[in-house]
Amino acid sequence: MTIQHVWSRGLMGLSLLLLPFAVGCPAWANPAVSSPPALIGAEAMRADFRALYARLRSAQYAVYARTSKAVLDRAFAAELATLNHPMPLVEVQTRFQRFVAKIKVAHTRIAFPTAAYDRYTKAGNRIFPLELRIDAGRAFVIAPAADDANVALGDEIVRLNGTLMPDVLARLGRNVSADTPYLAHSIIEHRLPAYLWLEYGAQPVFELTVRRPDGNVRKVKLAGRTAAEIAAIRPAPRPDPVRVARMLPEAVAYLRPGPFYNIDLGANPWDTRAFTTYVDSAFRGFLAAGATTLLIDLRNNPGGDASFSDPVIAWFATRPFRFVSDFRIRISDETVASNLARMAASARDGVADFISPRLADLYANAKPGSVRSFPVPLTPPRTGERFTGKVYVLIDRYSYSNTVSVAAIVQDYRFGTILGEETTDLATTYGAMESFTLPRTGIVVGYAKAMLIRPSGSLVARGIVPDIPLHAPLGKNDDDMLDRALAAIRAGCAEPAYRHASR
């Protein structure tokens, strides 16, 4: 976990769960025990399970906010009773995570057993070969196996191995920490073969009931594929540049900033200099070209840090801004200890750490269980050159982490208009992840120590709702949704129906 993540959203926390290419992998990504025993004894499991619940009650911000104490207590007692025989560490992780997932907070979780799944796939075992989009509980094919004509783009999977898809999704979802079903489905989409393996084990063949777009329903037997076969038969993604700045017709400036961290190979991911230089050059180019409208594309963006996104917003902001109206931290022994460990690691590694000492000052003499607000400074607009035209931001369900903060700032401060799909990641959220390690199993538990409230002050647990909704097409043609956004801009949809009150 980088220093920036400690006090902002937890930022890369969710995107790391979803995207294998994300950088800055946090310390809690894998169990701390380097050579765990083949089996974990029942006594050790039960002791750590008790410690898990007790420490989450101590450290998690509002552990019962989404699930009542009575429900969690019953779930804890039921699971504890089953921990009565030795189990492999992967099974212990999975059982503990299923309990943690009941808290229904995306930034409170135990990591998916990626190493075990990688061993499974690298051994040449078969996995589910389709990519699906889950829309209101219905699963649609967005990437079929290229050599199988029985399932096509746009087909709906009604049943999987005889089970209705909503029931399949519910079973997969019990492994997923998510605040809402919409977010849970987004997470499942990204790792569907892995979650199917976790729940159902090896499956060389999948029996599907498929509904075609014309309403025709048919049963299909679909052979699983190895990971190598899927890579071979599925077309490689178009090698677009990660960051794009160009002029479009009708004086529209198009900026796709890419992730809000340094993507240069071998560079410090949190060094902002190259990114800021790129952004400043892009805006100066837009001004020189006579741009009157700006479209910022945040689709399929894993997020990053405000130190990268704030300089973008400062080019068109009309007043000082910040990404939250309040940043509330629950004080606990676990959080104090995690912060001290980070400060020690930063000192040891020679890494500049400006936030952890401020957190330590906030925690000093604070009673465990109390809540303190961490001050987040305002960012001023740029002086001198600025963009003063209309601003639009294009988002989708895969706009995560800091991209949600960017859209919230633009919407709540009325700097511009939001286009696209509602985000699955929340605008007001529990985040700023920390972690603790269970002493007997070495399992590392990430938890949300804070509540981050969007600039408008709204406490509603929902993503960014676009001012102008645009339904994303099935498949992976980004140009189609971009064309819809440009059409909406040309239509003059500059006064959106949906607004949050700004602060």
Side-chain angles (χ1 to χ4, degrees), residues 315-363:
W315 266 96
F316 55 82
T318 55
R319 54 184 167 131
F321 61 91
R322 55 186 161 213
F323 73 97
V324 289
S325 59
D326 198 2
F327 191 116
R328 302 172 185 171
I329 299 176
R330 178 182 175 87
I331 311 300
S332 68
D333 292 339
E334 290 79 9
T335 292
V336 171
S338 185
N339 192 60
L340 287 173
R342 183 170 44 254
M343 291 173 64
S346 297
R348 181 188 66 241
D349 299 337
V351 176
D353 182 348
F354 304 106
I355 301 301
S356 296
R358 291 177 59 194
L359 290 169
D361 290 341
L362 185 74
Y363 303 157

Side-chain angles (χ1 to χ4, degrees), residues 49 84 88 93 96 172 178 181 188 193 197 214 225 231 256-257 285 288 302 320 354 384 388 393 411 414 435 453 489:
F49 193 55
N84 54 14
Q93 284 179 271
F96 284 18
L172 302 184
I188 291 170
W197 162 81
D214 62 6
R225 302 288 198 278
R256 188 170 72 203
F354 304 106
T388 58
V393 175
Q411 190 173 66
R414 304 194 179 198
S435 68
I453 302 174
I489 292 172

Side-chain angles (χ1 to χ4, degrees), residues 63-110:
V63 71
Y64 302 118
R66 308 210 194 284
T67 305
S68 72
K69 183 177 185 300
V71 169
L72 277 180
D73 285 352
R74 285 195 298 270
F76 173 79
E79 185 60 42
L80 184 66
T82 70
L83 302 177
N84 54 14
H85 60 280
M87 300 178 194
L89 180 60
V90 168
E91 184 174 352
V92 179
Q93 284 179 271
T94 302
R95 284 169 174 259
F96 284 18
Q97 165 57 17
R98 286 173 183 161
F99 172 73
V100 171
K102 295 180 186 298
I103 295 172
K104 297 182 181 179
V105 171
H107 293 105
T108 298
R109 64 181 183 268
I110 295 168

Side-chain angles (χ1 to χ4, degrees), residues 33 37 40 43-48 51 89 437-443:
V33 176
I40 307 296
E43 182 180 348
M45 281 189 295
R46 291 167 67 86
D48 267 10
L89 180 60
T437 302
L438 299 176
R440 293 162 181 82
T441 59
I443 292 173

Side-chain angles (χ1 to χ4, degrees), residues 395-410:
I395 58 174
D396 67 3
R397 67 175 62 196
Y398 309 123
S399 301
Y400 294 113
S401 183
N402 192 48
T403 60
V404 175
S405 295
V406 172
I409 291 169
V410 171

Side-chain angles (χ1 to χ4, degrees), residues 203-221:
Q203 291 185 292
V205 177
F206 299 87
E207 295 184 0
L208 308 179
T209 301
V210 177
R211 180 184 290 123
R212 292 288 171 84
D214 62 6
N216 181 45
V217 177
R218 58 184 299 182
K219 292 185 177 181
V220 173
K221 281 194 174 182

Side-chain angles (χ1 to χ4, degrees), residues 53 59 62 110 114 162 183 228 291 300 373 392 396 480 491:
Y53 193 21
I110 295 168
T114 302
L183 177 55
N300 298 293
S373 287
Y392 295 84
D396 67 3
D480 189 81

Side-chain angles (χ1 to χ4, degrees), residues 381-397:
R382 279 177 58 89
T383 56
E385 293 178 300
R386 295 181 63 254
F387 181 82
T388 58
K390 294 180 180 179
V391 176
Y392 295 84
V393 175
L394 181 59
I395 58 174
D396 67 3
R397 67 175 62 196

